[in-house]
Amino acid sequence: MSEAEARGANRLPEQLEAITALLERLAETPSPDDQAQLQQLLDELHPADIAFVLEALPLDERLAVWQRVKADRDGEILLEVSDAVRESLIADMDQREILAAVEPLDADELADLVEDLPTEVLPELMASLDAQQRERVQSALSWEEDQIGSLMDFEMVTIREDVSLETVLRYLRRFDELPAQTDKLFVINQDNLLTGVVPLHWLLVNSPEKMVSEVMAPDVNTFHPADDAYEVAQAFERYDLVTAPVVDDGGRLIGRITVDAMVDVIREESESEALSRVGLREEEDIFASVWASLRNRWSWLAINLVTAFIASRVIGLFEGAIEKLVALATLMPIVAGIGGNSGNQTITMIVRALALNQITPDSAKRLWRKELAVSLFNGLVWGGVIGVVAWLLYENIALGVVMTAAMTLNLLLAAFCGVGIPMLMMKFGRDPALGSSVLITAMTDSGGFFIFLGLASLFLM
């Protein structure tokens, strides 16, 4: 990123506002000056920033900006935008424009886009690639989306172990520029087997007469193309990696993984977890059609409706008690609300720990005991506080005791479900985050109402 682009990124919110204002003026009274100013703003932005702008605009304005983007930047921008927005942009392009946009991309980048391209474009696209590019694209496509093989970068620098560092330096000077994110050179033998790596800075601090085999690091973090992308991303974070080699079953070097790809994996995993927690099936274009948004949201809303109905029927079981003591109606939302909050805290911690592979069958039991102990303490303390408040408000000490007991029991229920729901979903091979917020709220609402009103019926009536 150039200095101008970096400065533009720092002022992105202001630039988005300026672009929106220009688009509104152009829609009312087209002006050459406004058109020139808009074009200049877009030309100064980095492709990732243009992607941000496109995602923040309604469809009509998004397409107006997209049509003003220079054609040689289309491919980079398509890589940066979200899947939902990418679909709307590609739908606005004809076959010739799509081919012109994606043909300059690297094999791993092409693999990211192929699934979103119209099927009629693919034969011509594959035919336009040379044999090596075609083989690389097909290799990337042969792996699942969540496997490292689909994210491999094939642009890397390899050297032999039986040459001197001076020879390596002369070899590097033949490049116009090194592949992005190059922090190390991969050492291979005549059979293309990876034997070690040489960090670039080692070339500068060692004598040019030394052989590569003398200075290389033979102990290398390597990955297999079938490895899970999120687990590899965690390894990058754990070992502070910038790049890492990808080898096949025989130890032959077939590609590399770079930190920028791993950052994208971590970001996508975080977004997916956040969406799953509230029951959204997929990432949604915020300016998508009403029908598209309905299809994405309806399923868990339907489940939520059912659980809310169950909670209402629980309340209905105790209508008589509520009629006799109206204070119950004002206090029961507190029990359910605090339980839901506590449950969401627990379930968030457990889902995160599961995502990081930090929970084993043995540690799960200890987690259950720990979360139940935390909830018991919180229930006694904060339940006691609200119990005293209830006693002072309604001058009924028994009501205060019931409030304390109900709060404590509902927090214990929240802790039990907060650990149990994601663990159970994990056991059955489901995403532990999927709908977790909806499920824990349903349990603490129905359970909280039942516990509070049940105790009130037993001890206050």
Side-chain angles (χ1 to χ4, degrees):
M1 184 185 294
S2 68
E3 288 187 21
E5 288 171 332
R7 287 195 298 271
N10 293 333
R11 297 187 295 110
L12 194 52
E14 292 87 348
Q15 289 173 321
L16 173 60
E17 188 176 342
I19 289 171
T20 304
L22 286 168
L23 288 170
E24 289 175 355
R25 291 209 301 268
L26 287 170
E28 295 172 1
T29 54
S31 160
D33 289 341
D34 287 342
Q35 290 179 355
Q37 187 177 350
L38 177 59
Q39 190 65 55
Q40 182 180 357
L41 274 173
L42 295 176
D43 291 346
E44 291 175 353
L45 289 178
H46 187 272
D49 295 334
I50 295 179
F52 172 85
V53 170
L54 292 170
E55 291 175 354
L57 293 174
L59 183 59
D60 291 343
E61 295 181 0
R62 177 186 301 160
L63 296 181
V65 168
W66 180 238
Q67 289 161 6
R68 286 177 167 84
V69 172
K70 291 182 178 178
D72 60 356
R73 308 179 78 194
D74 285 353
E76 294 177 275
I77 296 169
L78 287 175
L79 287 170
E80 297 288 349
V81 294
S82 65
D83 292 345
V85 172
R86 185 185 298 147
E87 288 179 14
S88 67
L89 300 179
I90 290 177
D92 188 57
M93 303 170 72
D94 59 34
Q95 186 169 330
R96 179 184 55 80
E97 290 174 323
I98 293 173
L99 286 170
V102 301
E103 282 178 352
L105 300 178
D106 294 334
D108 58 315
E109 296 172 331
L110 277 174
D112 287 341
L113 292 180
V114 161
E115 290 186 359
D116 296 319
L117 300 179
T119 53
E120 61 270 16
V121 173
L122 298 182
E124 188 172 347
L125 172 62
M126 297 302 285
S128 69
L129 305 176
D130 59 39
Q132 185 184 55
Q133 282 182 306
R134 191 157 46 247
E135 182 182 352
R136 289 176 172 179
V137 171
Q138 290 170 343
S139 172
L141 291 174
S142 66
W143 301 100
E144 298 292 333
E145 187 179 358
D146 60 351
Q147 292 179 322
I148 279 301
S150 66
L151 303 173
M152 278 191 304
D153 182 2
F154 299 96
E155 300 296 326
M156 55 190 169
V157 181
T158 60
I159 56 176
R160 299 283 292 274
E161 58 184 2
D162 55 354
V163 298
S164 67
L165 296 187
E166 183 178 5
T167 303
V168 173
L169 288 168
R170 284 202 306 268
Y171 170 62
L172 293 180
R173 293 189 189 102
R174 294 167 53 189
F175 288 85
D176 293 329
E177 61 178 350
L178 296 178
Q181 311 294 336
T182 297
D183 69 321
K184 60 177 68 78
L185 310 178
F186 301 118
V187 184
I188 56 174
N189 62 19
Q190 59 185 5
D191 298 319
N192 205 41
L193 293 174
L194 182 72
T195 58
V197 296
V198 177
L200 281 181
H201 65 274
W202 287 10
L203 293 175
L204 303 177
V205 298
N206 281 282
S207 170
E209 286 77 25
K210 284 188 175 181
M211 303 297 288
V212 169
S213 57
E214 294 180 69
V215 300
M216 72 179 187
D219 187 16
V220 186
N221 289 297
T222 60
F223 301 101
H224 186 273
D227 289 344
D228 181 84
Y230 187 61
E231 292 180 1
V232 174
Q234 291 174 326
F236 263 67
E237 181 183 13
R238 190 160 54 246
Y239 303 123
D240 295 327
L241 301 177
V242 176
T243 63
V246 180
V247 297
D248 63 14
D249 293 331
R252 285 179 291 273
L253 180 67
I254 57 175
R256 66 170 184 156
I257 289 295
T258 59
V259 66
D260 54 344
M262 294 299 93
V263 169
D264 289 341
V265 168
I266 293 173
R267 175 181 55 80
E268 289 168 7
E269 185 71 18
S270 299
E271 291 175 354
S272 176
E273 182 179 314
L275 293 171
S276 295
R277 195 174 297 130
V278 292
L280 290 176
R281 295 182 298 170
E282 58 188 25
E283 184 180 11
E284 182 180 306
D285 178 0
I286 58 173
F287 295 106
S289 67
V290 172
W291 175 241
S293 295
L294 283 173
R295 284 190 292 111
N296 192 30
R297 304 182 195 185
W298 75 268
S299 57
W300 279 92
L301 288 179
I303 294 172
N304 207 359
L305 178 62
V306 172
T307 58
F309 179 77
I310 293 172
S312 72
R313 297 320 305 149
V314 170
I315 296 172
L317 294 174
F318 300 96
E319 286 179 353
I322 295 173
E323 288 175 358
K324 292 179 183 178
L325 189 58
V326 179
L328 299 180
T330 63
L331 294 174
M332 64 184 184
I334 299 175
V335 176
I338 297 299
N341 192 329
S342 177
N344 273 305
Q345 290 177 343
T346 301
I347 214 165
T348 298
M349 295 296 295
I350 299 302
V351 167
R352 178 184 177 276
L354 286 171
L356 296 174
N357 295 317
Q358 293 176 338
I359 297 180
T360 64
D362 289 337
S363 64
K365 296 176 183 177
R366 286 198 292 272
L367 274 173
W368 241 316
R369 290 196 297 268
K370 175 246 184 180
E371 290 299 326
L372 288 171
V374 170
S375 294
L376 178 63
F377 180 80
N378 278 331
L380 292 173
V381 172
W382 299 111
V385 170
I386 195 63
V388 171
V389 172
W391 169 30
L392 295 175
L393 281 176
Y394 299 101
E395 298 181 351
N396 187 334
I397 191 170
L399 177 60
V401 173
V402 166
M403 191 71 181
T404 300
M407 181 79 79
T408 303
L409 291 174
N410 199 32
L411 287 182
L412 289 171
L413 174 65
F416 182 84
C417 294
V419 177
I421 288 173
M423 295 292 290
L424 195 62
M425 295 184 77
M426 193 79 169
K427 182 177 180 180
F428 287 102
R430 304 297 301 274
D431 180 358
L434 184 60
S436 58
S437 179
V438 176
L439 293 174
I440 194 68
T441 301
M443 296 298 296
T444 53
D445 280 358
S446 299
F449 293 147
F450 183 81
I451 292 168
F452 179 58
L453 295 176
L455 290 175
S457 297
L458 286 173
F459 298 107
L460 300 180
M461 297 299 111

